[in-house]
Amino acid sequence: MKLWLLRHGEAEAHARSDAQRELTQHGRKEVKQSAGHLPGHGVSKIVASPYVRAQQTAQIVREVLVNHPPLETVNWLTPDGDLREALDYLDAHAGEKLLLVSHQPFIGELAGLLQHGHRQAPLPMKTASLAELQGELPLLGAMHLNALHHPHKH
């Protein structure tokens, strides 16, 4: 199974609620840069947090990908989402090439869990960081980090 984990791009500092924060112009550029690593890999589905900045990130990536994979929104991809729900979802979709769009600390903890089998070594994910993981199955400690891309500062 191949799995990509993408943290949303830079977002506004303030909004009526955390869920309503939108991407900044810089954040949009960051996402486009990270999305440039995805074409040709056959992403079959984008799964994203319902928060505005994650939805905007997912749409930008979807536009970059030639196949325009379907976008699914799930509530467990929020900053404090349930890692067990993520693992159950990944298990049920093990044959697919998924891109998850989420937030810190969730996305870093999920990457650490899949690589090491515990949450004590989360992957450092900056805004628009993209991690590529691979393994036979999405099990605790059974996936290998193939690449971690951080957008370049301009």
Side-chain angles (χ1 to χ4, degrees):
M1 172 182 200
K2 264 201 169 176
L3 174 67
W4 292 268
L5 304 176
L6 177 63
R7 184 178 174 200
H8 63 80
E10 178 188 85
E12 300 171 318
H14 302 286
R16 291 208 325 247
S17 74
D18 184 42
Q20 294 176 320
R21 291 172 46 216
E22 295 193 24
L23 292 179
T24 62
Q25 275 306 112
H26 177 71
R28 291 175 185 281
K29 288 178 187 167
E30 287 179 322
V31 171
K32 285 179 184 167
Q33 194 178 110
S34 290
H37 296 285
L38 291 168
H41 287 287
V43 173
S44 59
K45 185 190 290 183
I46 300 170
V47 186
S49 156
Y51 286 23
V52 171
R53 60 192 180 274
Q55 289 288 310
Q56 290 173 326
T57 296
Q59 286 298 339
I60 291 168
V61 172
R62 195 167 181 272
E63 290 165 17
V64 169
L65 296 174
V66 179
N67 63 331
H68 303 296
L71 171 59
E72 181 179 353
T73 301
V74 294
N75 290 329
W76 48 262
L77 273 174
T78 56
D80 299 315
D82 187 339
L83 290 167
R84 286 171 303 193
E85 284 189 66
L87 294 170
D88 289 345
Y89 184 92
L90 292 175
D91 186 48
H93 294 83
E96 298 180 49
K97 292 182 176 183
L98 302 176
L99 168 68
L100 304 186
V101 180
S102 187
H103 316 262
Q104 281 290 51
F106 181 87
I107 200 89
E109 289 179 358
L110 178 60
L113 200 56
L114 290 169
Q115 284 182 90
H116 309 296
H118 56 75
R119 295 169 57 179
Q120 283 72 38
L123 192 63
M125 301 283 285
K126 301 174 183 171
T127 55
S129 285
L130 175 69
E132 179 186 325
L133 297 162
Q134 187 167 355
E136 289 298 311
L137 291 169
L139 301 173
L140 299 181
M143 295 195 80
H144 173 73
L145 180 66
N146 285 348
L148 177 59
H149 304 284
H150 302 293
H152 304 298
K153 298 287 181 199
H154 288 216

